[in-house]
Amino acid sequence: MKLFGHICMSLHRAESSMRWAILWALLGLSVAQHDPHVRQGRTAIVHLFEWRWVDIADECERFLGPNGFGGVQISPPNEHIVLNNPWRPWWQRYQPVSYNLCSRSGNESELSDMITRCNNVGVNIYVDAVINHMCGGAGGEGTHSSCGTWFSASTKNFPSVPYSSWDFNDHKCRTGSGEIENYGDAYQVRDCRLVGLLDLALEKNYVRDKVAEFMNKLIDLGVAGFRVDACKHMWPGDLAAIYGRLHNLSNKWFPDGSRPFVYQEVIDLGGESITSGEYSHLGRVTEFKYGAKLGTVFRKWQGEKLYYTRNWGEGWGFMPTGNAVVFVDNHDNQRGHGAGGASIITFWDSRLYKMAVGYMLAHPYGVTRVMSSFRWNRHIVNGKDQNDWMGPPSHSDGSTKPVPINPDQTCGDGWVCEHRWRQIKNMVIFRNVVNGQPHSNWWDNQGNQVAFGRGDRGFIVFNNDDWDLDVTLNTGMPSGTYCDVISGQKEGDRCTGKQIHVRGDGHADFRISNRDGDPFVAIHAESKL
C-alpha cells in the first residue's frame, strides 16, 4: 500500500507539473502575441483600406518604409462573394466563400510579392482575418466570387475549403430566426448568425484546423500577424485553440520563435454582455472607447475639455496600455457602423482629425493605427448616410482602381490617403523619435489648451479653444532651434514651417492662433536645426 501511495503521489505530481507546463506555455504564447514585432524603431500601423496588393507594395517602398511606418493592416485576402452592383460594397470583403488567396485586391502571387517587398523595407503586414463566418445564407449559389469558385450558401456547401452544413452553428443557436436577437445574451452573440452570416462551429477540431491552415499559409508567406474580425462573436476558448495551432513567424524576417501579433476586434463601450477583458489574455484588443471619447473631447461635446485628458489612458477606464490597439476612426465607425456614433472624427472633418490623430500619436498609450480611406458619395437622410455601403474607387467592371500619387504627394481618384498628410506623416515620425520616453511636462489652461512632452525627446502643444494661445512653457528639451513638424518640416538645414526656440532652461514661447489651419505645434529631437 505504501508503494501504491508513492506511485499515486508521483503521478499526481507529474500531472500537476504537466498542467503548470501547459499553463505557462499558453501564457507565453499569449504574451508573445501582444508584440507587433515592428522593426527599426517603428511604432505605428496604417490601415490601407481596400488597396490593391500592387499599390501597397509600391507604397511600402516609396513612402511607408522611408517615413518610418511600422506596418500595414490589409483588407481580407480570402476569396469573397461578389455582389452584382456597380460599386461592389466594401463589406463583401467580409463574406468569405473560401480561403483561396484571391480577392479584389489581387491574386496570391501579387499578395506574396507585396509581403516580400514590404518586409524588405522594414514594413510589416497584418492581415484582417475573417474566421467567425462564411458569407450570408442569402448569398445563393454559383461562381459569383472573387476567384470564380463555386459555392452554395443556401445549402452551406463551400467545397473549396471544404465546409458543409455540419460545420456551422445553426444547431446551437437558441433563437427562432437563427440570428442574434439580443446582444445581452452572450450565447446568442457567439452562437447565432451576425447579420445573416453563416456562423462557423469553431468548437470542432476540423473547423479549427481549416482556419489555422488558412492563417498559417499567410504566416509562411511572411505576414507579422492578424487583426481578427468579429472576436466577440467567437468564444475565447475556441480562439485560444486556433491561435495555439499557428506557426511561428518566418525567420527570414523575424527572430526565431517569434509568435504572430494578434489584435482582436471586440466592440466594448461598457455595459456589454461580452467584455474586451475576456480576450486580452490571447492578444491585444481594439479599444473602441478611445476614438469615441477622443472625438467627444475634441468636439467639446457633453462639457468635455481637452485638459481632462491629463490622465488619458487607463485613467479614463481604458484597458491596460499593453493590451490596447487604438485609433481615432476605423473603416466601420467612420461610416456610422460599429461603435462611437456621431462623436467619431474622420477625414470629413480634416482640421479636427489632424489634431486628434496628432494627439494619439504623441501620447504613449497603446499600439496606434492610422486610417487611410477612400471617399464615397455621402447622402445623409435623418442623420444616416444612405451610401455608407459604397466600395472603393472602381472601374465600370467593378475592379478596384489603382492609387495615383499627385505631385504634392497626396492621392487622387477618390483615395484620401490620410497617412500621407504632412501633419499625420510627421507625427508618425514624432512617435518613433519619442518612443520609450515618459509622458511629462504637462500644462493646461483648464480648458482646451494643453501641452505635454515625451521626456527630453519631444513636445506638443494644442489650442482647441476659440481664442489665441500665447504662453511660455517648459518643454524639457535641450536648448536650440526646432522646426515645428505640423506647419512644415525640417528639410536639410532649413525649416519650411514655424521655428521654436528652446532656451537653456528648456523653456520656449508658443503662439497658436485659433484661426490657424492646424492649431497645434510639435517639435522633436530630430527636428532640431
Side-chain angles (χ1 to χ4, degrees):
M1 289 296 292
K2 185 177 284 189
L3 177 62
F4 179 74
H6 280 304
I7 292 171
C8 287
M9 183 65 74
S10 297
L11 287 172
H12 176 74
R13 285 172 178 162
E15 277 184 18
S16 180
S17 297
M18 185 172 290
R19 281 198 299 271
W20 276 108
I22 292 169
L23 178 63
W24 282 113
L26 289 172
L27 182 63
L29 287 178
S30 67
V31 170
Q33 287 163 187
H34 288 69
D35 181 357
H37 304 294
V38 286
R39 290 168 283 174
Q40 302 168 9
R42 300 162 188 257
T43 55
I45 297 168
V46 58
H47 183 189
L48 297 182
F49 182 48
E50 285 281 12
W51 281 44
R52 303 183 313 155
W53 309 146
V54 293
D55 292 320
I56 294 176
D58 288 343
E59 189 73 348
C60 282
E61 293 170 342
R62 71 194 170 199
F63 190 84
L64 300 178
N67 285 295
F69 284 80
V72 178
Q73 178 182 312
I74 64 171
S75 292
N78 51 271
E79 183 176 14
H80 55 83
I81 196 168
V82 173
L83 300 169
N84 187 19
N85 177 307
W87 291 283
R88 304 282 165 86
W90 63 267
W91 41 259
Q92 70 180 24
R93 295 292 291 270
Y94 292 83
Q95 297 208 27
V97 300
S98 83
Y99 296 138
N100 297 323
L101 297 178
C102 48
S103 65
R104 73 167 161 210
S105 287
N107 59 36
E108 183 174 339
S109 174
E110 291 165 331
L111 174 67
S112 178
D113 179 65
M114 174 202 72
I115 293 167
T116 297
R117 289 168 60 188
C118 290
N119 274 322
N120 284 343
V121 293
V123 181
N124 293 347
I125 297 297
Y126 307 103
V127 170
D128 197 348
V130 184
I131 61 174
N132 170 67
H133 55 262
M134 299 301 279
C135 70
E141 69 176 44
T143 57
H144 49 288
S145 61
S146 52
C147 302
T149 298
W150 184 90
F151 67 97
S152 173
S154 54
T155 61
K156 307 185 189 71
N157 184 10
F158 298 90
S160 191
V161 178
Y163 286 141
S164 70
S165 60
W166 293 99
D167 301 315
F168 294 90
N169 266 336
D170 288 349
H171 67 286
K172 289 178 67 179
C173 178
R174 302 178 180 181
T175 66
S177 66
E179 301 283 324
I180 301 169
E181 297 175 359
N182 174 17
Y183 270 80
D185 182 339
Y187 288 90
Q188 284 189 34
V189 173
R190 288 163 168 155
D191 292 337
C192 298
R193 296 184 186 185
L194 168 66
V195 294
L197 300 166
L198 296 174
D199 200 65
L200 284 166
L202 294 175
E203 79 277 6
K204 292 184 62 174
N205 278 324
Y206 173 76
V207 177
R208 292 172 176 177
D209 287 342
K210 300 311 288 186
V211 169
E213 182 183 299
F214 161 60
M215 298 174 77
N216 280 330
K217 184 170 186 179
L218 290 159
I219 291 170
D220 295 345
L221 287 176
V223 307
F226 302 90
R227 179 260 188 193
V228 185
D229 182 63
C231 281
K232 73 187 294 181
H233 301 283
M234 295 177 275
W235 291 97
D238 293 339
L239 288 172
I242 291 167
Y243 301 161
R245 286 165 160 80
L246 298 184
H247 295 168
N248 290 337
L249 298 184
S250 169
N251 60 14
K252 182 176 181 180
W253 292 292
F254 304 98
D256 283 343
S258 297
R259 296 296 297 160
F261 177 44
V262 172
Y263 56 110
Q264 303 158 105
E265 185 207 20
V266 181
I267 298 175
D268 175 12
L269 294 178
E272 306 262 354
S273 63
I274 295 170
T275 67
S276 57
E278 295 176 56
Y279 297 84
S280 58
H281 64 292
L282 299 173
R284 287 188 183 251
V285 182
T286 49
E287 179 51 278
F288 276 88
K289 291 192 284 287
Y290 190 100
K293 292 291 188 183
L294 197 61
T296 303
V297 168
F298 272 97
R299 293 186 187 280
K300 297 183 278 194
W301 288 357
Q302 301 171 15
E304 295 285 12
K305 293 181 172 63
L306 196 51
Y307 96 93
Y308 295 160
T309 64
R310 181 171 190 151
N311 64 338
W312 187 244
E314 288 98 333
W316 278 60
F318 302 159
M319 68 184 74
T321 183
N323 292 340
V325 169
V326 298
F327 42 93
V328 172
D329 64 329
N330 77 347
H331 67 282
D332 275 317
N333 62 22
Q334 70 174 196
R335 291 165 169 76
H337 298 248
S343 73
I344 297 299
I345 304 174
T346 71
F347 68 87
W348 298 107
D349 298 302
S350 61
R351 188 171 187 260
L352 278 182
Y353 189 72
K354 286 178 281 187
M355 293 176 71
V357 174
Y359 190 100
M360 174 184 76
L361 291 169
H363 197 279
Y365 179 83
V367 167
T368 53
R369 184 182 63 197
V370 173
M371 185 66 198
S372 193
S373 316
F374 59 82
R375 288 182 179 83
W376 65 94
N377 299 323
R378 287 204 299 176
H379 179 53
I380 310 297
V381 177
N382 297 325
K384 171 88 168 63
D385 187 349
Q386 304 302 302
N387 287 336
D388 59 10
W389 53 270
M390 292 183 70
S394 300
H395 297 293
S396 57
D397 64 356
S399 61
T400 302
K401 288 183 177 180
V403 182
I405 307 302
N406 298 322
D408 65 356
Q409 297 304 300
T410 60
C411 299
D413 225 354
W415 298 97
V416 181
C417 296
E418 300 96 312
H419 70 285
R420 277 180 165 263
W421 295 359
R422 182 191 67 246
Q423 302 84 347
I424 293 176
K425 177 261 292 184
N426 284 345
M427 285 306 301
V428 167
I429 295 170
F430 178 104
R431 187 174 187 84
N432 293 342
V433 172
V434 304
N435 187 33
Q437 296 294 308
H439 187 260
S440 58
N441 294 304
W442 175 272
W443 170 88
D444 65 69
N445 71 339
Q446 297 195 324
N448 293 292
Q449 297 176 359
V450 306
F452 61 87
R454 295 292 303 278
D456 63 355
R457 298 281 290 169
F459 195 74
I460 192 164
V461 187
F462 293 88
N463 179 15
N464 198 34
D465 271 327
D466 296 328
W467 52 86
D468 293 350
L469 175 150
D470 188 349
V471 67
T472 299
L473 300 173
N474 179 19
T475 66
M477 297 182 67
S479 63
T481 299
Y482 294 81
C483 186
D484 167 36
V485 298
I486 304 305
S487 60
Q489 58 196 16
K490 179 182 173 184
E491 294 182 355
D493 59 357
R494 61 184 288 269
C495 178
T496 63
K498 298 176 184 176
Q499 294 184 20
I500 304 297
H501 303 281
V502 176
R503 298 189 283 275
D505 62 358
H507 285 71
D509 302 322
F510 294 92
R511 296 177 179 85
I512 305 174
S513 170
N514 67 302
R515 297 174 299 280
D516 285 351
D518 298 310
F520 64 118
V521 167
I523 59 175
H524 59 74
E526 292 183 11
S527 74
K528 188 175 182 180
L529 295 174

